[in-house]
Amino acid sequence: MFDRGFLYGDSVYEVMRTYGGKPFAWAAHWERLESSARRLGMSLGWTTADATTALKATLEESGNAESYVRVVVTRGAGPIGLDPALATTPNRVIIVKELSSPPAELYERGCKLRIVSVQRSGAGVDPRAKSGNYLSSIQALREALAAGAYEAVMKNAEGALCEGSSSNLFIVRRGEVATPPLDAGILEGITRRTVMTICKRRGILARERTLQADDLYEADEAFITSSIREVMPVASCDDHTIASGRPGPLTRAITDVYRRIATETASF
Ligand code: PDD
């Protein structure tokens, strides 16, 4: 009840999924958890080795074929008050549940996005820290769902596109892949990073670029990325169909390579 994660969202977390029962990019997720904690001046009180052992044991015990994994560390419990020094012992939780992937239809037909009025990183929380404070994402998603869309796209104070409520955004234009830069105020997604590496290795031009709404509306292809969704094509945004409204060839190619890499490299 007095846990600061519960009271204030004073926590950091990671979400990943397994392939063949093993997590994909565990090392990168762990590194980001550490980096999020540093940004919030929080101690994880957990060694990499201990966390890995705990994750392995939790996955084994679950008996799931494939799992959704959520690793949460809160600043701990203490007397009510904002001063972080009121809590001294972090609470650590690993949640594992049967993986439920998004419906296949979303990959075959593409999803619908909505550019929302909710601004990314409004509350002075560093967007690069994956903290438990997700209120702006929740408000953004509410707005998108109310408009009949699947995922929101948030803008920053300058009006440039940032990212989804729980995904990163990519467009393809004239054979070049583009995604908003980190200084747009976004989370550095691990799927995003993997997609950039795939592009580099395959000779696909890919760069970080400031994107406006029109860049998305007029794109040849668009897709969103996250650990659970992997690479998901976008069919439309607001009242604009993206090109033919069908998943494009580069999106499909990147999706296939991503799945292969995740499957081949998943490990503890
Ligand atoms: N969220 N941006 C935001 C705001 C996110 O919450 C997420 C992921 C991403 C994509 O990051 P990654 O590729 O590392 O999963 C981008 C997770 C999946 C979640 O909160 O469920």
Side-chain angles (χ1 to χ4, degrees):
M1 191 93 87
F2 293 102
D3 183 279
R4 297 175 63 91
F6 171 68
L7 290 174
Y8 310 122
D10 194 2
S11 62
V12 292
Y13 79 101
E14 283 298 319
V15 170
M16 68 208 101
R17 59 154 288 183
T18 64
Y19 294 81
K22 298 188 180 110
F24 171 58
W26 164 234
H29 281 282
W30 175 257
E31 236 172 64
R32 189 171 64 184
L33 190 72
E34 286 187 320
S35 146
S36 298
R38 258 196 316 275
R39 286 170 192 275
L40 300 186
M42 184 188 291
S43 150
L44 294 178
W46 218 358
T47 64
T48 316
D50 285 350
T52 306
T53 304
L55 175 59
K56 233 185 232 174
T58 312
L59 280 170
E60 262 165 35
E61 210 170 297
S62 78
N64 296 334
E66 297 294 4
S67 298
Y68 164 106
V69 179
R70 192 179 188 90
V71 179
V72 187
V73 180
T74 80
R75 207 185 294 265
I80 288 185
L82 293 183
D83 181 357
L86 290 168
T88 53
T89 314
N91 276 325
R92 306 178 300 233
V93 179
I94 298 176
I95 299 170
V96 160
K97 60 172 185 157
E98 185 88 49
L99 178 73
S100 143
S101 290
E105 194 193 308
L106 287 169
Y107 296 90
E108 286 151 16
R109 296 208 187 151
C111 67
K112 197 171 164 185
L113 300 182
R114 175 83 180 180
I115 298 178
V116 296
S117 64
V118 178
Q119 233 178 59
R120 176 62 168 122
S121 81
V125 178
D126 182 349
R128 292 183 70 178
K130 196 160 170 59
S131 81
N133 185 328
Y134 255 60
L135 276 180
S136 58
S137 278
I138 291 167
Q139 293 299 83
L141 186 62
R142 282 184 59 215
E143 194 177 324
L145 293 176
Y150 165 78
E151 169 67 310
V153 177
M154 290 180 278
K155 298 200 267 193
N156 61 22
E158 287 76 46
L161 303 184
C162 287
E163 62 181 337
S165 66
S166 63
S167 60
N168 289 116
L169 174 72
F170 287 79
I171 66 156
V172 180
R173 182 74 175 158
R174 297 195 188 93
E176 182 179 278
V177 174
T179 192
L182 298 181
D183 63 15
I186 60 168
L187 181 76
E188 186 182 4
I190 286 159
T191 319
R192 173 186 183 276
R193 204 190 293 167
T194 309
V195 165
M196 294 304 264
T197 307
I198 290 170
C199 291
K200 204 181 267 177
R201 282 202 205 133
R202 308 211 124 213
I204 301 167
L205 279 175
R207 62 184 177 113
E208 295 182 325
R209 176 156 80 81
T210 301
L211 298 180
Q212 308 295 339
D214 281 346
D215 292 312
L216 177 53
Y217 296 154
E218 293 159 15
D220 297 328
E221 303 179 31
F223 57 91
I224 57 172
T225 61
S226 76
S227 299
I228 301 299
R229 296 183 189 89
E230 306 172 305
V231 177
M232 181 184 283
V234 174
S236 67
C237 179
D238 300 338
D239 296 328
H240 301 259
T241 304
I242 309 296
S244 68
R246 292 268 151 199
L250 267 181
T251 305
R252 282 190 189 279
I254 293 168
T255 304
D256 291 348
V257 179
Y258 179 87
R259 286 200 176 130
R260 187 169 49 73
I261 289 177
T263 307
E264 284 173 6
T265 64
S267 63
F268 289 101

